Amino acid sequence: MDFLAKPEHRSTRSVQTLIDAILTESRLRDARDRFGAIAQGIPSLSALPTTPQTAPRHCEGPFVSDHIVRTFAAIDAIASGESMRDCEDIATDPILSLALLDAEEAIRDFPDVFRAFAVMHNIAKPDRLLLIAEPGSAGEKEGFVQSNRRADEYTTSSELHRYDKMRRAHGADNASWFAQSGIIATYDDADRAVIAPQYAEVRAAIIHHLGLEHAYEKFIAELCWSHDDVEEFFVTPGNESEFGVFAARAGKAGLNVEKFLDALLAIALLDHDIGRIGLIRPIPLPVFRAFAFAEHAAMPERFATREARQAHARKLRIKAILGDSGLAPEAIFTLLNTPIGPERGTVMEHVYQVIRGESKGEVFGAHADHIRDCALRAQKLLAAEGLSV
């Protein structure tokens, strides 16, 4: 029996089609309400719904909170069972498919960890916001200039008011507004600033509000520190060896390395790819792809572990389906009075041949009809899950 055969089962939907389908208005509304409750309980988060975000990186809405809400909705969708593993542009690639398995399982096992991350990695953005304009753009004419031409390190409250007034006057979405104004929201080192003492109280409040143990604060803060690197390390092909940095960071911080790397896979998926809408998306899940391929190049043993775990899971599932169909080995041996010994292996191979449609089971004599009926049930159940014997 070939338990390792690649499943034929896969969806005809693309990743983007699935994402559009699972991020429903209802799910986004619930996510907005969830974030609103968190922000209401933690006053220091009140600036996030008014802190700008812009194209080309963020087209999901005009404010940082829109990114958080979309990420929350993605977490809810995956936690409720949605999966991209069988999408047509993923299912045929075992590296991506098995990496997605770990990423999605991490999200389902610890959704509040990723909700906490979605909020926490943004908490320093209001303090480090800098609105700059491309040279020669309309935004530059309005006074939004490059940082080396500014007196203030970050955007002032009066500049922010002027920006918001301009944006509302144009009434455009992020992509159109960026095209018109040429203004880009940047945040300096906001991801890494999260660990600063000035944010200790809000970090602890986020952990407490989401009902997580205090130990998760360090884990999530380390995820925030690595957030930008998940994407930026692998923008240039051939830089895959940098993946080892993440394992080293986790080890130095005293964290579980495997869980940390799984969480980074989930962040590449949730935050960079599903939770964000960029102007340029040449391929589906570009950040997750680059991160997963870098992992495979730098730490192939993680892929080997996934393969072995998946093969074992498939073996157990096939065994369960055979049992549900009346073809459990012990049931067959009892039915046929098969003695212990090599003959049992031969009997089961004949059963598999019937399931595969290679035989009508004449070898089973008076029991052939019963075994064919059971085999037909098994065949349908196996096909529904992309399994085979």
Side-chain angles (χ1 to χ4, degrees):
M1 178 162 49
D2 184 7
F3 290 116
L4 298 177
K6 285 183 88 172
E8 296 297 326
H9 174 70
R10 71 173 185 267
S11 170
T12 57
R13 289 192 296 183
S14 68
V15 166
Q16 190 56 55
T17 300
L18 179 62
I19 291 173
D20 292 342
I22 65 178
L23 296 185
T24 61
E25 283 301 319
S26 173
R27 195 165 263 144
L28 287 165
R29 183 172 59 251
D30 290 346
R32 195 170 293 111
D33 290 345
R34 186 190 292 272
F35 172 71
I38 296 172
Q40 187 173 14
I42 307 174
S44 52
L45 300 179
S46 61
L48 295 178
T50 59
T51 300
Q53 63 174 16
T54 65
R57 287 175 63 82
H58 288 285
C59 294
E60 58 272 10
F63 303 112
V64 170
S65 59
D66 293 310
H67 173 53
I68 297 172
V69 165
R70 186 177 168 93
T71 304
F72 273 19
I75 293 169
D76 292 343
I78 293 171
S80 67
E82 297 288 355
S83 174
M84 279 158 280
R85 289 193 62 227
D86 67 343
C87 289
E88 62 181 0
D89 32 16
I90 294 292
T92 56
D93 190 315
I95 295 173
L96 293 178
S97 180
L98 290 178
L100 265 175
L101 178 66
D102 275 5
E104 291 176 349
E105 285 190 352
I107 295 162
R108 292 188 190 106
D109 288 345
F110 305 102
D112 281 329
V113 167
F114 295 100
R115 292 185 184 109
F117 165 81
V119 178
M120 193 182 293
H121 87 279
N122 288 295
I123 59 178
K125 285 184 177 179
D127 299 331
R128 285 163 170 73
L129 172 68
L130 177 58
L131 296 165
I132 59 176
E134 296 184 329
S137 66
E140 184 183 46
K141 293 176 183 177
E142 293 290 338
F144 295 94
V145 296
Q146 302 295 312
S147 57
N148 58 3
R149 294 168 53 192
R150 292 177 50 82
D152 298 293
E153 185 177 7
Y154 300 118
T155 292
T156 63
S157 58
S158 61
E159 288 173 323
L160 182 57
H161 178 74
R162 179 156 44 96
Y163 169 85
D164 191 56
K165 186 176 179 180
M166 288 172 58
R167 184 190 60 79
R168 285 186 285 108
H170 282 80
D173 61 28
N174 276 26
S176 300
W177 167 237
F178 172 70
Q180 293 171 18
S181 69
I183 298 174
I184 303 172
T186 64
Y187 311 101
D188 196 13
D189 62 345
D191 273 0
R192 298 190 171 184
V194 166
I195 68 170
Q198 74 187 91
Y199 299 111
E201 187 175 333
V202 67
R203 290 197 309 266
I206 292 167
I207 295 297
H208 177 74
H209 187 95
L210 287 165
L212 297 171
E213 295 178 8
H214 176 70
Y216 277 108
E217 182 181 334
K218 181 178 182 180
F219 184 84
I220 296 168
E222 290 291 339
L223 293 176
C224 293
W225 181 272
S226 291
H227 166 259
D228 273 349
D229 295 338
V230 165
E231 177 178 20
E232 292 177 3
F233 276 1
F234 311 114
V235 169
T236 303
N239 202 35
E240 290 81 4
S241 62
E242 285 295 305
F243 187 90
V245 169
F246 300 114
R249 284 178 185 170
K252 185 176 181 180
L255 303 176
N256 182 301
V257 174
E258 296 302 318
K259 289 186 181 299
F260 187 76
L261 297 180
D262 287 346
L264 288 180
L265 276 171
I267 285 166
L269 177 68
L270 282 173
D271 183 85
H272 289 287
D273 284 334
I274 307 178
R276 193 173 83 194
I277 302 174
L279 284 181
I280 302 173
R281 309 292 276 184
I283 55 174
L285 307 182
V287 177
F288 181 84
R289 282 174 179 269
F291 191 74
F293 287 142
E295 178 202 61
H296 184 257
M299 299 182 68
E301 65 275 13
R302 277 176 55 83
F303 175 73
T305 299
R306 288 184 191 123
E307 273 194 316
R309 190 167 63 236
Q310 181 73 347
H312 181 65
R314 286 167 58 81
K315 184 174 182 178
L316 292 178
R317 184 60 190 140
I318 290 170
K319 183 178 179 180
I321 288 175
L322 293 180
D324 292 343
S325 303
L327 295 177
E330 287 306 321
I332 293 296
F333 302 151
T334 299
L335 178 70
L336 301 177
N337 293 316
T338 309
I340 294 174
E343 186 179 349
R344 290 191 168 191
T346 302
V347 166
M348 288 310 298
E349 182 53 39
H350 286 309
V351 170
Y352 303 147
Q353 289 172 0
V354 178
I355 295 173
R356 291 194 295 260
E358 297 170 358
S359 165
K360 292 188 177 181
E362 295 90 343
V363 68
F364 298 116
H367 302 291
D369 288 344
H370 170 72
I371 290 177
R372 275 198 300 271
D373 290 341
C374 294
L376 183 60
R377 288 197 296 273
Q379 190 180 70
K380 290 178 179 178
L381 290 171
L382 290 166
E385 299 185 28
L387 300 171
S388 59
V389 295

